[in-house]
Amino acid sequence: MLKPHISIIIPTYHRLGALAELLEALNRQSYTNFQVIIVHDGGPSVSSVVALYPELQCTYIDLPDNKMHVHARNRGLELATSELIMLCDDDDLLVPEHIERMVDELGDND
């Protein structure tokens, strides 16, 4: 069975430390067929944290003003190229098998 590619969309606003923890958790995932779309929704830049994880295939969108998480997620969705979408908040923490288990549970469902 082919492993589906996943676009993970993360809006972030004023949470540099939390975002770093989430990116580290994504870096440790047993399932690796994903892209990460980070939507910086205003506030202090988080590009320095994103730069620490070049292996995550991050797409970084820098919005100049805070438009709130729904707008940020929709902006990330415009750039998603995968067959599956996973929405994460910047303060989510995932166990290393999270994505793999999620894909397994999807099974053959559409």
Side-chain angles (χ1 to χ4, degrees), residues 9-10 14 17 22 34 40 50 53-54 57-58 70-71 74 78 97 100-101 107:
I9 300 171
I10 307 165
H14 282 286
L22 174 57
F34 61 84
H40 175 243
V50 176
Y53 295 94
Q57 303 177 38
C58 291
V70 173
H71 176 80
N74 286 338
E78 292 172 2
E97 300 82 23
E100 184 174 11
R101 287 168 49 193

Side-chain angles (χ1 to χ4, degrees), residues 3 9 16 27 30-31 47 50 57 61 66 74 77 79 82 85 89 93 95 103 105:
K3 299 280 186 174
I9 300 171
L16 191 67
N27 192 44
S30 56
Y31 190 94
S47 62
V50 176
Q57 303 177 38
I61 303 165
N66 180 255
N74 286 338
L77 191 56
L79 297 177
S82 303
I85 304 296
D89 289 327
L93 288 178
V95 297
V103 169
E105 288 298 318

Side-chain angles (χ1 to χ4, degrees), residues 10 12 15-28 38 46 48-50 52-53 56 89-93:
I10 307 165
T12 187
R15 289 190 177 153
L16 191 67
L19 178 64
E21 289 179 348
L22 174 57
L23 292 179
E24 182 61 31
L26 289 172
N27 192 44
R28 294 174 185 245
I38 299 168
V46 297
S48 61
V49 169
V50 176
L52 295 173
Y53 295 94
L56 286 180
D89 289 327
D90 55 7
D91 61 351
D92 286 347
L93 288 178

